């Protein structure tokens, strides 16, 4: 019987068509016939342990679990026959005897699968008169609260860890009714996808710690949203009570996030309510910050920009966050261009601007296609932590046998088998050239590359795969020879037949290009804007000490400017050092707008809540600034109107990562001295997540340190915990040494985006260490 | 008529040694098979003809089980021996391991040859340290003599055999939980299908048989399936090991032909202890429903006779109880066992075994309520047949058996808050 053959079955007298071999519960779910279940989950392996979905099948004496029974032609199923109901009700009685029935104080109450199904299959009184089981709770970290007494042992969380998160952090320990969910050795659950176990837990055994005891499910109003931290564009449901985001859940979208979201997308809403939230406009008067009303603030901002501009728009420059919406980015660049400035950029963390970039670089394929790859080379990417949902897709490919290769300046903690080529940033270039050479590419530095076995293996994996991709990640973009990496990657893709794709850093990195947030002819890019001091700067959603490639330089240059106006949702130490006016803007969930994700989907959303305090949506602030500065075309009444203009500007551009002519230059980065590897940790990527209190308590929320591998540390005579003075360009930072075997020789890992690194230079570049 | 199969060498001094095993024709069948390259199909057919039924308790025909494996399927296949003898009352496989380990090894190698497997595991109950050591020593001897390893006796057939010591979980005697345990996972039964013949150890085709079953193979092949079958009775071919224990004079393991009257077995075990009167018998391990003594005295020890009386021959663990036993207490002990040993995977068993135990314990300690017996009746129907493996049934059946035959003792206990006996 072929797998695709359709068979006819009969369920409760109704004829259904289903693919032969489909599980019965899938067929009934598709037909809208409800069979109660707890352990079954469409994305997890079948456990068949809860015994709730027992149904009667003609000619089978015992009731059978619908979740584990494949359909066969002519099968006659009764989901509510006396035998089936007796089995289902029997299971329900057993589930409830040891369940605490503490629904009134349980966070799951009102949205609990056990509660719902008990209504249909439970009794109104219990026959169980013995003492109930009580289970000790565990502290499994800042995100997930345990109430293990409520556990019904469905093992969804255990299977999620093994099958989706890719780390077995939870297990079912003990036998019989002593079975408990736990970590065995007391530890936190650290997966970047861990919060999903809150959703899949059918009872209140695993609940959200930040949300705990703060609202009841029925008080919440659900709004649709789009995740703001990476380029997946994960679909969200924002749960709001009285104008406050109380929690965030995933919204199913098979093409993007399936039914999962990353912890970053789930818990970052806490940042909205941080003490740092800027709720009134601020003006700097005599080095003091004064809270002023909007009228004064806007007039001062307009005047300041006008004065700085003087007679030439070229004296102004704008650094725009790639996490801003399309509409905000569009209006910001329109304002700058209206003032005669072409100095506009969103590529704040890019390390090299030579060569021509594709107009509309993207993932190179649909997100869902990642799981069908047979081979991939990821250059400078920690995809698991940078775009966790894309990492999950890639892991699925790896589990199906895809050969995944990483070329990076840090050894990654992966949850699947992959080849990792770990080399210093300078060495990465030689490695790439060697892979290109192994594939038969030529020209420039490829000629002199030394090809080793591993390069040949990567070349072989890519060229022999039916579907292969070369993907460029965040650390590649931050590389001082990014243009060369792009050129070499293009050569590798071309020679191997692989697709080239970008793993865009932020929620709107792709959209920013479509909104015109790039320098025009003669305009300065992000690096040039900081290298060449300008009189006036517009910052949108940027903390200059944390959100740019070279924060030391940014702080220095901005401090010299005549006038810096910043639109920011938060008070910020580094911003307050350099700005002259800070206008409070709406953050995530507080404004309508649009993001374009890695696969080129334009996803618009509406605001779920009104902005905090006096904050206003940035698009409105920019609109008023346009009016005050007498720039034409600032009469939009809604983001939809702005979006229409963006669509016109973007035209019918189709996403394409194909290489524009790029020469293979000699690398600028030399392997001499100690090179800094400045990756951006998962919970440091933007102002919102940096202020999300619970995420900042996780193990992934690291503090700034200077990471050396044991050999390197010995070579420079520094031990773990030693205080050092890190010097880079004109700045320095006092940090502690962290012995980290993941760092290659000749390198020191000093992450960017973390407090304490504001005065340092570029994310990748030469540093010196001195004992402090 | 006794001691012709697994215990055929029991009269010897240190029968577990290779030389003593060989002196009784040990390894000759294997040698013949390898030398003459006997068709594997004919071996399977001979086992089928013998009427040998799985001696672990389920009684599934061994030859039929072997025939489910497609011998020519590519890739690794496994032979697994279930020596996780944990059913309360059962202690026969222990004696096979202790006194006749080579016959088991020979049986396993032949099984491997028959199904095309080159690797076997013997999963030995965690508490069986001495049997484990005996078996390990026997493996060494067999390896040294060329009965295990590569290219056995120059036949081109390879077979390696390993023992695996369990860690003390009854549930690992369930064949798929046993496989999980060998794989290094928590011992929990797998949902079936797929059965081990298709998806067994490490996902490969596997036959898994009881120790006694596998140890019977060399003798069956030596003397012929028909000979073995004729030892027993219709539907219950061969002889079988019975572990008899309880209030009798000489508890122990006896190999007797299936179909032997229970009364004869009791006599072999020396009869009841002095001054005690037979009250009841659990004929096939603790999960088999109990039968009143007078019923048992009319029965023969074979699959059909015991089944007809409403119980099971099971693993052949015969627990004999005299009239000093309070049946409520007996059931409390048994229910406690299943409550402790449920793996916890399936709801009805995880929750139900604990509930059964607590209700029985309540009755035993004088806190029973009139409605408790109906509750027990009802609960057992909601556990049995509703779980992945048979442990749920095993926990329910003793309760059902007790309430069928000795309900009056439970009622007395509830009413008078004390035992009817003693």
């Amino acid at each position: 019987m072929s797998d695709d053959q359709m068979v006819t079955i009969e369920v409760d007298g109704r004829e259904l068509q289903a693919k032969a071999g489909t599980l019965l519960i899938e067929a009934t779910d598709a037909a809208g016939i409800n069979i109660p279940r707890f352990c079954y989950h469409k994305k997890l392996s079948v456990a068949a342990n809860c015994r709730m979905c027992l149904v009667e099948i003609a000619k089978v004496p015992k009731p059978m679990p619908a979740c584990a029974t494949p359909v066969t032609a002519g099968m006659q199923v009764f989901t509510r026959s006396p035998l089936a109901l007796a089995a289902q009700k029997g299971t329900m009685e057993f589930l409830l005897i040891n369940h605490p029935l503490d629904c009134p104080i349980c966070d799951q109450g009102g949205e609990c699968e056990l509660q719902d199904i008990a209504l249909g299959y439970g009794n109104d009184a219990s026959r169980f008169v013995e003492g109930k089981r009580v289970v000790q709770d565990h502290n499994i970290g800042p995100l997930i609260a345990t109430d293990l007494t409520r556990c019904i042992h469905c093992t969804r969380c255990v299977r999620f860890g093994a099958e989706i998160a890719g780390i077995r952090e939870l297990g079912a320990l003990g036998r019989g009714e002593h079975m408990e969910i736990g970590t065995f050795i007391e530890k936190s659950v650290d997966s970047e996808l861990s919060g999903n176990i809150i959703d899949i837990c059918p009872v209140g055994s695993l609940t959200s710690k930040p949300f705990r005891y703060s609202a009841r499910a029925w008080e919440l109003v659900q709004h649709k949203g789009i995740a703001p931290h990476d380029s997946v564009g994960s679909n969200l449901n924002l749960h709001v009570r009285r104008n406050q985001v109380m929690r965030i859940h995933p919204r199913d979208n098979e093409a993007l996030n399936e039914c999962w979201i990353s912890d970053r997308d789930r818990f970052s809403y806490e940042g909205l309510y941080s003490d740092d939230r800027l709720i009134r406009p601020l003006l700097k008067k005599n080095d003091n910050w004064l809270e002023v009303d909007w009228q004064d603030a806007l007039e001062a901002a307009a005047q300041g920009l006008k004065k700085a501009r003087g007679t030439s728009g070229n004296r102004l420059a704008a650094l725009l966050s790639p996490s801003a919406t399309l509409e905000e980015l569009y209006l910001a660049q329109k304002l700058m261009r209206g003032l005669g400035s072409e100095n506009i950029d969103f590529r704040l963390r890019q390390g090299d601007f030579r060569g021509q970039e594709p107009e509309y670089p993207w993932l190179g394929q649909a997100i869902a296609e990642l799981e069908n790859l047979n081979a991939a080379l990821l250059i400078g990417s920690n995809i698991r932590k940078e775009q966790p949902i894309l990492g999950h897709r890639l892991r699925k490919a790896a589990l199906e046998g895809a050969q995944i290769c990483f070329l990076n300046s840090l050894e990654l903690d992966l949850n699947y088998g992959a080849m990792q080529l770990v080399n210093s940033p300078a060495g990465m270039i030689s490695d790439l050239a060697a892979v290109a050479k192994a594939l038969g590419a030529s020209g420039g530095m490829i000629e002199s590359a030394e090809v080793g076995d591993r390069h040949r293996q990567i070349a072989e994996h890519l060229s022999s795969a039916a579907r292969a991709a070369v993907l460029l990640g965040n650390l590649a973009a931050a590389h001082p020879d990014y243009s060369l990496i792009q050129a070499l990657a293009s050569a590798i893709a071309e020679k191997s037949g692989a697709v080239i794709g970008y793993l865009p850093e932020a929620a709107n990195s792709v959209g920013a290009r479509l909104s015109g947030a790039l320098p025009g002819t003669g305009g300065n890019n992000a690096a040039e804007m900081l290298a060449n001091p300008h009189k006036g700067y517009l910052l949108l959603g940027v903390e200059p000490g944390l959100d740019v490639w070279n924060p030391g330089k940014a702080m220095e240059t901005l401090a010299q400017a005549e006038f810096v106006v910043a639109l920011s949702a938060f008070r910020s130490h580094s911003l307050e050092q350099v700005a002259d006016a800070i206008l409070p803007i709406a953050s995530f969930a507080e404004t309508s707008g649009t993001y374009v994700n890695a696969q080129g989907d334009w996803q618009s959303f509406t605001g779920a809540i009104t902005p905090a305090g006096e904050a206003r949506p940035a698009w409105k602030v920019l609109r008023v600034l346009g009016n005050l500065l007498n720039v034409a075309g600032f009469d939009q009444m809604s983001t939809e109107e702005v979006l229409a203009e963006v669509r016109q500007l973007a035209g019918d551009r189709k996403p394409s990562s194909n290489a524009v002519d790029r020469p293979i230059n000699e690398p600028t980065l030399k392997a001499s001295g100690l090179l800094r590897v400045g990756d951006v940790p998962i919970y440091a990527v933007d102002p919102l997540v940096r202020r999300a209190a619970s995420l900042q308590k996780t193990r992934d929320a690291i503090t700034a340190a200077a990471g050396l591998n044991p050999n390197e540390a010995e070579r420079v005579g520094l031990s773990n915990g030693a205080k050092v003075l890190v010097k880079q360009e004109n700045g320095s930072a006092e940090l502690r040494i962290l012995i980290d075997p993941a760092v290659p020789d000749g390198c020191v890992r000093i992450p960017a985006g973390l407090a304490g690194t504001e005065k340092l230079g570029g994310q990748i570049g030469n540093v010196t260490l001195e004992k402090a | 008529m006794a001691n012709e199969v697994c215990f055929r060498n029991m009269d010897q001094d240190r029968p577990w040694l290779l030389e003593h095993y060989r002196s009784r024709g040990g390894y000759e069948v294997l040698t013949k098979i390898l030398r003459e390259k006997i068709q594997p199909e004919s071996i399977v057919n001979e086992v089928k003809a013998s009427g040998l039924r799985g001696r672990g308790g389920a009684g599934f025909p061994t030859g039929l089980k072997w025939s489910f494996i497609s011998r020519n399927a590519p890739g690794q296949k496994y032979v697994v021996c279930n020596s996780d003898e944990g059913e309360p009352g059962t202690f026969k496989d222990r004696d096979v391991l202790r006194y006749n380990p080579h016959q088991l090894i020979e049986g396993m190698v032949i099984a491997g040859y028959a199904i095309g497997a080159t690797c076997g595991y013997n999963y030995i109950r965690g508490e069986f340290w001495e049997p484990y050591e005996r078996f390990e020593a026997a493996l060494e001897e067999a390896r040294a003599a060329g009965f295990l390893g590569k290219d056995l006796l120059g036949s081109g057939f390879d077979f390696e055999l390993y023992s695996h010591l369990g860690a003390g979980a009854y549930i690992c005697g369930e064949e798929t939980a046993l496989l999980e345990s060998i794989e290094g996972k928590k011992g929990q039964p797998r949902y079936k299908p797929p059965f081990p013949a298709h998806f067994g150890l490490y996902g490969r085709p596997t036959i898994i048989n009881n120790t006694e079953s596998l140890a019977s193979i060399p003798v069956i092949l030596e003397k012929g399936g028909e000979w073995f079958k004729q030892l027993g009775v219709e539907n219950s071919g061969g002889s079988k090991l019975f572990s008899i224990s309880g209030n009798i004079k000489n508890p122990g393991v006896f190999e007797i032909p299936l179909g032997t009257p229970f009364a004869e077995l009791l006599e072999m075990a020396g009869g009841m202890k002095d001054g005690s009167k037979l009250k009841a018998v659990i004929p096939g391990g603790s999960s088999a429903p109990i039968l009143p003594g007078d019923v048992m005295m009319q029965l023969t020890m074979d699959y059909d006779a015991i089944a007809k009386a409403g119980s099971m021959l099971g693993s052949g663990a015969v627990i004999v109880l005299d009239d000093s036993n309070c049946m409520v207490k007996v059931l409390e002990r048994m229910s406690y066992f299943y409550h402790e040993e449920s793996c916890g995977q399936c709801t009805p068993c995880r929750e139900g075994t604990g509930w059964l135990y607590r209700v029985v314990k309540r009755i035993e300690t004088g806190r029973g309520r009139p409605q408790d017996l109906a509750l027990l009746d009802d609960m057992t129907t909601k556990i049995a047949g509703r779980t992945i493996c048979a442990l749920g049934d095993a926990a329910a059946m003793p309760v059902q058996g007790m309430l069928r035959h000795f309900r009056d003792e439970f009622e007395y206990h509830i009413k008078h808050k004390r035992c009817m006996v003693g």
Side-chain angles (χ1 to χ4, degrees), chain B residues 135-165:
Chain B
F135 189 74
E136 279 286 301
L139 286 177
E140 280 306 308
E141 284 186 312
R143 239 175 244 131
F147 296 120
L148 286 175
K150 295 271 178 215
D151 191 20
L152 303 186
L153 309 180
S155 63
F157 174 65
D158 304 336
F159 194 83
E160 196 44 90
L161 180 52
Y162 307 94
S163 50
H164 183 110
L165 197 63

Side-chain angles (χ1 to χ4, degrees), chain A residues 560-606:
Chain A
Q560 292 166 29
E562 209 168 274
F563 190 75
V564 176
V565 56
L567 278 64
S568 172
F570 300 98
R571 293 200 71 138
S572 153
H573 184 65
S574 68
L575 196 55
E576 285 166 29
Q577 280 179 287
V578 297
D580 298 283
I582 309 181
L583 307 177
I585 56 169
S587 183
F588 163 70
E590 295 175 337
T591 179
S592 55
T594 306
Y595 285 145
V596 182
N597 72 0
Q599 66 174 21
D601 295 340
W602 295 48
Q603 299 194 97
S604 292
F605 46 87
T606 55

Side-chain angles (χ1 to χ4, degrees), chain A residues 47-51 62-63 65 68 87 93-95 98 127-130 133 152-153 172 174-179, chain B residues 168-169 186 188 191 339-348 350-352 355 358 362 375 378 385-388:
Chain A
N49 62 28
C50 78
R51 317 309 283 181
K62 290 197 238 178
E93 181 174 30
F94 286 129
L95 282 172
N98 274 310
R127 297 192 288 177
F128 185 75
V129 294
E130 336 300 326
R133 173 174 61 229
I152 58 167
H153 309 90
R175 237 171 23 210
E177 62 174 38
H178 308 297
M179 185 200 268
Chain B
K186 186 178 178 191
Q188 286 189 337
Y191 184 79
H339 158 56
E340 271 298 303
E341 295 295 343
S342 165
C343 82
Q345 189 177 200
C346 302
T347 306
R350 177 184 67 242
E351 306 294 344
W355 194 4
R358 289 185 176 89
R362 221 158 22 74
L375 177 62
D378 185 55
R386 305 279 168 82
T387 51
I388 287 176

Side-chain angles (χ1 to χ4, degrees), chain A residues 347-658:
Chain A
R347 297 166 297 176
L348 308 182
R349 292 202 174 282
Q350 193 160 315
D352 176 20
F353 293 87
R354 293 169 296 164
Q356 204 188 341
E357 292 186 353
E359 271 202 317
Y360 188 170
W362 70 311
L363 188 59
Q365 57 223 302
I367 286 172
E369 284 298 309
L370 285 180
E371 65 188 68
N372 298 326
L373 289 173
N374 306 107
L377 170 62
L378 285 90
I379 305 164
S381 171
N382 183 0
I383 192 169
R384 178 177 170 196
K385 300 291 180 183
E386 285 163 3
Q387 295 93 359
I389 295 292
L390 301 187
H392 167 58
R393 295 274 189 182
L394 202 62
R395 178 172 182 270
K396 285 202 239 181
L399 296 185
E400 289 297 313
Q403 300 286 344
I404 312 291
C405 314
F406 285 85
L407 175 53
N408 207 11
S409 288
L410 290 171
E411 191 179 337
L412 304 172
D413 175 18
L414 295 171
N415 47 8
Y416 48 86
M419 188 208 278
Q420 293 201 50
L421 218 54
V422 183
N423 210 331
S424 77
M428 270 175 75
I429 305 286
S430 332
D431 280 332
L432 264 188
V435 174
K437 189 174 181 181
L439 283 160
S442 58
M445 66 170 299
I446 296 176
E447 308 293 338
S448 57
E450 284 176 36
V451 182
D453 285 347
R454 309 245 283 166
H455 307 120
R456 265 188 288 272
Q457 270 175 37
I458 295 174
E460 172 60 25
H461 290 328
L462 291 176
S463 52
S464 65
R467 291 196 190 89
V470 176
L471 299 169
L472 297 167
N474 294 2
L475 210 59
H479 199 288
D481 286 310
Y482 183 39
S483 59
L484 184 52
I485 292 179
Q486 287 176 297
L488 290 168
S490 299
I492 289 169
E494 192 186 312
K495 289 289 178 188
S496 63
V499 165
I500 188 159
Y502 291 82
L503 295 163
E505 174 198 20
N508 218 9
S509 295
V510 176
R513 289 180 195 263
L514 305 176
S515 68
L518 286 168
T521 316
N524 279 185
N525 61 41
E528 289 164 339
M529 276 180 233
L530 298 175
N532 314 321
H534 291 70
K535 295 266 186 211
Y537 285 89
L538 171 71
L539 305 181
L540 172 60
V542 179
E543 289 190 78
L546 301 169
D547 286 322
V548 298
W549 188 76
N550 188 334
K553 189 82 189 163
M555 294 299 289
E556 210 176 287
T557 306
L558 291 171
Q560 292 166 29
E562 209 168 274
F563 190 75
V564 176
V565 56
L567 278 64
S568 172
F570 300 98
R571 293 200 71 138
S572 153
H573 184 65
S574 68
L575 196 55
E576 285 166 29
Q577 280 179 287
V578 297
D580 298 283
I582 309 181
L583 307 177
I585 56 169
S587 183
F588 163 70
E590 295 175 337
T591 179
S592 55
T594 306
Y595 285 145
V596 182
N597 72 0
Q599 66 174 21
D601 295 340
W602 295 48
Q603 299 194 97
S604 292
F605 46 87
T606 55
I609 51 171
T610 56
E614 291 179 21
R616 294 287 172 267
W619 73 271
K620 287 188 181 174
V621 176
L622 290 162
R623 210 209 78 159
V624 177
L625 278 176
N627 296 147
L628 289 173
L629 288 160
N630 295 317
V631 182
F634 277 82
D635 304 315
Q636 299 87 349
M637 296 301 288
S638 67
T639 45
E640 285 81 0
E641 280 181 46
V642 185
L643 184 62
E645 290 183 39
V646 186
R647 283 197 189 280
Q648 221 167 11
L649 178 70
D652 54 1
R653 268 194 270 174
K654 292 275 172 287
S656 164
S657 298
N658 286 337

Side-chain angles (χ1 to χ4, degrees), chain A residues 701-722:
Chain A
I702 54 175
T703 51
L708 294 173
N709 72 36
N711 297 335
E712 197 68 40
E714 201 180 316
R715 213 172 55 75
V716 296
L718 291 165
S719 57
N720 198 39

Side-chain angles (χ1 to χ4, degrees), chain B residues 38-234:
Chain B
I38 297 206
Q39 284 298 309
E41 291 73 21
S42 71
I43 296 173
V44 176
N45 287 336
E46 203 60 41
V47 176
K48 275 187 185 169
S50 74
L52 174 64
R53 294 173 59 168
R55 298 296 195 229
F60 192 82
T62 305
L64 190 59
K65 206 176 202 180
W66 289 14
S67 67
F68 293 148
I69 296 229
S70 83
R71 190 177 187 280
N72 297 315
Q76 185 67 57
K77 298 182 230 17
Y78 295 100
V79 175
V80 175
C81 174
N82 185 347
S83 299
D84 191 46
E85 185 176 49
E87 183 81 3
T90 312
F91 43 89
K92 63 184 181 71
D93 295 333
R94 180 179 63 173
D95 281 358
V96 175
L97 295 171
R98 284 203 291 189
Y99 300 119
N100 203 1
H102 281 290
Q103 195 164 313
L104 173 59
I105 294 170
E106 187 178 5
M108 287 186 75
V109 182
I110 294 169
Y113 179 88
I115 64 152
T118 59
C119 182
Y121 288 90
N122 184 17
Y123 189 97
I124 300 175
R125 178 178 170 165
E127 292 87 345
F128 282 1
W129 183 250
E130 184 204 18
Y132 168 76
E133 287 190 319
R134 283 272 169 85
F135 189 74
E136 279 286 301
L139 286 177
E140 280 306 308
E141 284 186 312
R143 239 175 244 131
F147 296 120
L148 286 175
K150 295 271 178 215
D151 191 20
L152 303 186
L153 309 180
S155 63
F157 174 65
D158 304 336
F159 194 83
E160 196 44 90
L161 180 52
Y162 307 94
S163 50
H164 183 110
L165 197 63
Y170 171 69
I171 193 60
C172 289
E174 196 280 345
E175 58 183 20
T176 55
L178 186 153
L179 297 179
E180 291 280 298
S181 179
I182 294 180
E183 290 180 12
K185 301 175 189 157
K186 186 178 178 191
Q188 286 189 337
R190 297 176 184 167
Y191 184 79
K192 295 166 285 281
F195 290 93
H198 296 112
F199 188 93
L201 187 60
Y202 301 111
R204 304 299 311 164
T206 301
I207 56 162
I208 171 159
N209 292 117
N210 168 257
T211 314
E212 182 188 349
S213 307
L214 285 166
S216 302
I217 299 296
V219 181
I220 289 172
L221 296 177
E222 181 195 325
K223 301 195 173 169
E226 194 53 32
W227 168 85
F228 184 81
K229 193 174 178 176
Q230 292 305 326
L231 289 177
V233 294
E234 177 72 23

